[in-house]
Amino acid sequence: MIKKENYNIPGVKGRGMLMDITYDDSIRNAPLVIFVHGFKGFKDWGTHNMVADYFARSGFRYLKFNFSHNGTTADKPIDFADLIAFSENTFSMELEELNDVLDFVCNGSSMPRVTGVYLIGHSMGGGISILQTAGDSRVKKLVSMASLASFTNLWTKAAEEQWKLSGIMYMPNSRTGQDMPLKVSILDDLRDNPAKLDILEKATHINQPWLIVHGDADPTVPVAQAKQLKKANKQAELLIIKGADHTFGASHPYAKDSLPKDLLEFCDLSIAFFKK
């Protein structure tokens, strides 16, 4: 029987992080996969629950969570209801919170204790996952999904100058129609922590098995960034899904009762990699 357990653990500045774990109750000691969402993402976006169910039926426990400053709230987990929190987010905060999630599961807090996990990071979450994996032996394998090779690829260089002058930049969300604010503190974070937040440099230090998956029709993060990651770590495996976009065919909301073809291929590739 497939079950789901829900948690709310503290993140940065005391803000909660909603979390859920999907698993097959009949499988003992199933390995744990942690999914790390990307920019303007959240744990219940689109197909994420269907993917969790698919992994659970394939013999894994599947954990996904919301970063505390992703703009959603406990009362409105699928809406960007707190744009003030969103504006104050930084990469260092997300890296700290991913470590908190690992502490939670590896210390046996309110769930079966594990000694190691598998990570899947999408887009910006892929970058955060690369940083975490490079310095954390608890991560046994990594799958980066349409990952950034640099956090500065989220915006244009030209936008930075005006951003620094005004102290805030607005990024449009085409799905919701919202202008998503980002304070200059996220730029300050990159300036103040260049070594800690250098994705390509950290990629060179990953010794764990690493699968890089990208679509060659990704309009958001070009496939060239996946090739940069592969160049930085020769031991990593690069798989390019022909015709796949940034979300591998998924959307929010998602009304179909089966996974998109490209996302199903991604799931099967990841499951096979984790089971090797």
Side-chain angles (χ1 to χ4, degrees), residues 33-219:
V33 176
I34 297 177
F35 174 74
V36 186
H37 71 72
F39 187 59
K40 294 185 285 189
F42 45 90
K43 72 178 183 66
D44 296 306
W45 184 93
T47 52
H48 289 346
N49 287 307
M50 294 176 67
V51 168
D53 185 80
Y54 191 79
F55 270 79
R57 294 181 187 281
S58 300
F60 297 88
R61 284 181 288 162
Y62 194 92
L63 183 156
K64 49 190 176 65
F65 68 99
N66 285 337
F67 284 113
S68 68
H69 285 66
N70 74 341
T72 66
T73 66
D75 293 333
K76 296 184 176 180
I78 62 171
D79 298 313
F80 293 118
D82 191 344
L83 293 183
I84 293 176
F86 182 89
S87 73
E88 295 173 345
N89 199 17
T90 67
F91 306 116
S92 289
M93 286 164 54
E94 293 203 348
L95 186 57
E96 179 180 342
E97 290 183 338
L98 177 53
N99 191 70
D100 289 342
V101 171
L102 280 158
D103 285 345
F104 177 79
V105 299
C106 291
N107 293 340
S109 303
S110 301
M111 63 172 292
R113 183 177 179 272
V114 298
T115 56
V117 304
Y118 301 146
L119 281 188
I120 298 176
H122 177 243
S123 193
M124 191 173 90
I128 297 294
S129 298
I130 290 166
L131 300 182
Q132 184 71 34
T133 301
D136 195 333
S137 62
R138 295 173 298 180
V139 180
K140 302 306 181 185
K141 291 186 179 183
L142 168 67
V143 174
S144 55
M145 178 186 190
S147 176
L148 297 165
S150 169
F151 292 124
T152 58
N153 291 327
L154 285 167
W155 53 77
T156 65
K157 198 68 180 174
E160 284 192 21
E161 298 308 314
Q162 184 60 40
W163 191 359
K164 291 174 183 176
L165 288 172
S166 64
I168 195 163
M169 179 174 71
Y170 293 90
M171 303 190 75
N173 186 321
S174 58
R175 179 179 65 84
T176 67
Q178 293 169 291
D179 287 325
M180 312 285 285
L182 282 176
K183 292 183 179 178
V184 76
S185 52
I186 200 169
L187 277 182
D188 296 340
D189 186 32
L190 286 173
R191 180 199 64 205
D192 296 341
N193 301 285
K196 182 177 78 171
L197 299 177
D198 187 332
I199 296 172
L200 287 174
E201 199 281 328
K202 291 295 184 184
T204 67
H205 298 284
I206 291 179
N207 297 314
Q208 301 96 315
W210 177 12
L211 176 63
I212 303 166
V213 186
H214 217 103
D216 67 0
D218 188 334

Side-chain angles (χ1 to χ4, degrees), residues 46-55 248-250 254 256-268:
T47 52
H48 289 346
N49 287 307
M50 294 176 67
V51 168
D53 185 80
Y54 191 79
F55 270 79
F248 297 80
Y254 187 80
K256 297 180 181 179
D257 57 6
S258 60
L259 290 170
K261 174 181 67 69
D262 293 335
L263 184 55
L264 181 60
E265 182 176 353
F266 167 82
C267 291
D268 287 339

